[in-house]
Amino acid sequence: MVAITKYKYAKRIGVSKMTVTRRTATNVLLDTALKNFYGAAEEMGLDENLIAILGSSERRLEVSVPVEMDDGSIRIFRGYRVQHSTAIGPAKGGIRYHPEVDVDECEALAMLMTWKCSLAGIPYGGGKGGICCDPLTMSMKEKERMSRAFAARIAPIIGTWQDVPAPDVNTGGQEMVWFVDTISKLRGHLEPGVFTGKPIPYWGSMGRTAATGYGVATCGLELLRVLDKDPKNATVAIQGFGNVGSYTALTMVEAGAKVVAISDVTGTYYAPKGIDIKKAFEHISTHPKKLLEGFTCDGCEKKNLDDILFVECDILYPCALDGVINVKNAGDVKAKYIVEGANGPVTPDADEILTKKGVLIVPDFLANSGGVIGSYFEWAQNLSGYFWTEEEYNKRLIHIMKGNFKLVWDYSQNSSVPMRRAAFMAAIQRVADVVKLRGVFL
Ligand code: GLU
């Protein structure tokens, strides 16, 4: 539940008795999202009315999702869709299936999507949704019935020009097909642009699979460029070797960098002379669970799971879960730079410790925005019904990622703030400008 607290703000408007609200939340993710927003908004001197508007979400929808299970029983799941802002364009953001999904978590992530899309310069607001369920214990048929029931429940508030969901934790191309098919049947016409992240044969886009990792690596390379460092002399460690981590690794190697450590749930694989990343990529491609388990290479040493975080290297890319670098271990990180491939891998306390140590951090909603930029490309192709080649897709992605990196880097240099704060400020500014242009009506 979200609690509302009173906060005095006389200083900016010169009225001594007036109060406005600052929200706090018991949900840690939402509380952090609110604090990040209020902190950046206050630092940039944003108008109190705009702070009030952007500090609350436009819609928080909760639905029941009745599903006939394979044993004939009916279970009711709780589903959510939160639209934080549609000031710039349709809400955009994924739908996750997870036992811990609740409306506050969806709101926190929806808010982050607003800033992510704004910073990326793509014409969307922010949304997020999910179903509180354990998909690992459900059959395909149960998941299909649940996905279709959920799509029907949220149908009144989603649409190509309204809110465009996408995959997130435990959802992917198959769920998107069920969603699009259900919405299209309800509306009596095909609406491919209502969801992104679809498989290539069904209105998906070439290039989407590699997009996030490609963008994450590009941010690291841009960081080296502005610091006048040659990637050929750079050493890299990559935590998480799934979709994001593996494509990040491949791109860094192509640029000439040496990847000295990679990891996944099976442990850390460390080779100071450099890991054969193509071999590691082939290994996970043929492994039944897409894991590094059993991987070996020349001079490769197997270490413990968390050792990856403490490897001596130039760039550390945390590309797995949130909160992995926290107050307990931040002091032991030896990397000079951290580029966040995952969402929230560095906790706010750890961020403070690392920044004091002089570690430069490229924040998640800049570094991993290649995913949602890729969604924008898919949506644009769906609107025109004309598909691009993979080369066109990659060229446009890199062009946007480099521009966004430069925007944040310059902002951070000119305002003498860390890149995370700079990213928030630039993103908030763009949304606030559009709210001002459009006025307050809705
Ligand atoms: N779930 C991804 C994200 O959080 C993609 C969202 C989208 O493409 O709409 O960025």
Side-chain angles (χ1 to χ4, degrees):
M1 273 300 293
V2 177
I4 304 288
T5 57
K6 292 283 180 194
Y7 178 91
K8 304 229 186 274
Y9 83 112
K11 81 175 187 302
R12 274 191 53 77
I13 57 165
V15 179
S16 58
K17 289 275 156 49
M18 251 175 110
T19 57
V20 288
T21 54
R22 288 286 186 272
R23 299 170 60 203
T24 58
T26 46
N27 178 291
V28 181
L29 220 52
L30 181 54
D31 201 50
T32 307
L34 290 167
K35 282 193 179 122
N36 277 332
F37 166 65
Y38 291 134
E42 280 162 16
E43 187 158 339
M44 59 202 270
L46 195 71
D47 181 273
E48 281 297 334
N49 293 314
L50 289 168
I51 296 183
I53 290 170
L54 296 175
S56 38
S57 288
E58 292 175 14
R59 281 200 181 92
R60 288 168 37 117
L61 175 69
E62 177 171 345
V63 295
S64 69
V65 186
V67 179
E68 185 177 345
M69 306 304 279
D70 291 344
D71 65 5
S73 66
I74 304 282
R75 273 190 66 186
I76 311 292
F77 295 91
R78 303 311 299 170
Y80 309 94
R81 184 72 187 168
V82 177
Q83 297 166 350
H84 167 251
S85 170
T86 56
I88 289 181
K92 189 85 194 80
I95 286 178
R96 54 175 60 184
Y97 288 176
H98 196 271
E100 270 154 36
V101 166
D102 68 21
V103 71
D104 283 351
E105 180 187 275
C106 290
E107 181 172 13
L109 297 165
M111 206 166 182
L112 264 180
M113 286 308 298
T114 301
W115 315 135
K116 195 186 281 195
C117 294
S118 168
L119 185 68
I122 56 178
Y124 298 129
K128 200 72 146 206
I131 304 179
C132 179
C133 65
D134 185 357
L136 304 180
T137 62
M138 297 172 74
S139 70
M140 279 297 269
K141 278 283 155 209
E142 289 170 341
K143 281 196 278 189
E144 175 173 354
R145 289 191 286 264
M146 181 174 78
S147 302
R148 289 184 182 277
F150 178 66
R153 282 284 198 246
I154 64 167
I157 66 156
I158 61 166
T160 307
W161 290 104
Q162 211 178 348
D163 181 354
V164 183
D168 204 271
V169 176
N170 292 328
T171 58
Q174 177 62 74
E175 283 74 16
M176 300 307 118
V177 174
W178 291 326
F179 291 150
V180 171
D181 190 56
T182 304
I183 295 296
S184 299
K185 283 189 171 114
L186 284 174
R187 293 185 183 163
H189 59 85
L190 175 64
E191 192 178 332
V194 63
F195 286 87
T196 59
K198 301 177 294 293
I200 291 173
Y202 190 62
W203 294 86
S205 176
M206 302 286 280
R208 178 69 181 85
T209 314
T212 313
Y214 202 18
V216 171
T218 301
C219 282
L221 292 170
E222 284 304 287
L223 183 66
L224 294 175
R225 197 181 56 75
V226 294
L227 297 172
D228 218 9
K229 305 230 182 278
D230 186 347
K232 295 198 174 66
N233 300 326
T235 51
V236 171
I238 297 174
Q239 189 230 11
F241 207 70
N243 178 268
V244 179
S246 59
Y247 282 103
T248 301
L250 280 176
T251 314
M252 289 310 292
V253 168
E254 264 167 39
K258 190 163 40 166
V259 178
V260 293
I262 54 177
S263 78
D264 68 7
V265 286
T266 64
T268 294
Y269 301 78
Y270 174 65
K273 290 207 172 113
I275 292 176
D276 183 345
I277 290 299
K278 283 211 175 112
K279 194 176 167 206
F281 195 80
E282 273 157 29
H283 186 95
I284 57 159
S285 310
T286 51
H287 188 282
K289 289 186 185 156
K290 308 250 172 282
L291 294 174
L292 286 167
E293 186 179 35
F295 173 72
T296 52
C297 71
D298 248 10
C300 202
E301 190 189 331
K302 176 104 189 276
K303 291 179 164 249
N304 291 333
L305 194 60
D306 283 347
D307 288 345
I308 186 90
L309 301 172
F310 316 121
V311 164
E312 197 105 37
C313 63
D314 294 302
I315 310 182
L316 170 63
Y317 286 99
C319 297
L321 294 173
D322 57 67
V324 287
I325 303 176
N326 47 53
V327 73
K328 289 193 204 119
N329 62 16
D332 299 324
V333 170
K334 294 186 195 69
K336 296 191 187 84
Y337 322 116
I338 294 177
V339 180
E340 297 180 333
N343 282 322
V346 178
T347 63
D349 304 349
D351 193 317
E352 229 177 286
I353 298 170
L354 291 162
T355 305
K356 271 198 195 120
K357 275 199 342 180
V359 178
L360 277 177
I361 304 175
V362 181
D364 48 3
F365 69 103
L366 167 62
N368 69 27
S369 61
V372 73
I373 295 170
S375 279
Y376 166 52
F377 291 168
E378 181 180 330
W379 181 78
Q381 292 171 73
N382 291 165
L383 288 183
S384 64
Y386 177 78
F387 289 95
W388 311 349
T389 63
E390 193 161 356
E391 288 72 38
E392 281 171 303
Y393 183 102
N394 286 340
K395 204 170 132 209
R396 289 178 168 140
L397 176 68
I398 296 312
H399 177 73
I400 295 183
M401 289 300 303
K402 284 186 176 173
N404 295 345
F405 180 91
K406 181 171 171 5
L407 178 89
V408 175
W409 177 257
D410 290 349
Y411 205 122
S412 122
Q413 295 296 298
N414 296 337
S415 319
S416 304
V417 290
M419 286 185 82
R420 191 186 310 280
R421 182 46 72 86
F424 270 112
M425 289 163 89
I428 292 167
Q429 192 64 59
R430 181 165 178 247
V431 185
D433 286 348
V434 177
V435 172
K436 267 198 280 186
L437 268 176
R438 293 183 53 189
V440 172
F441 168 63
L442 265 183

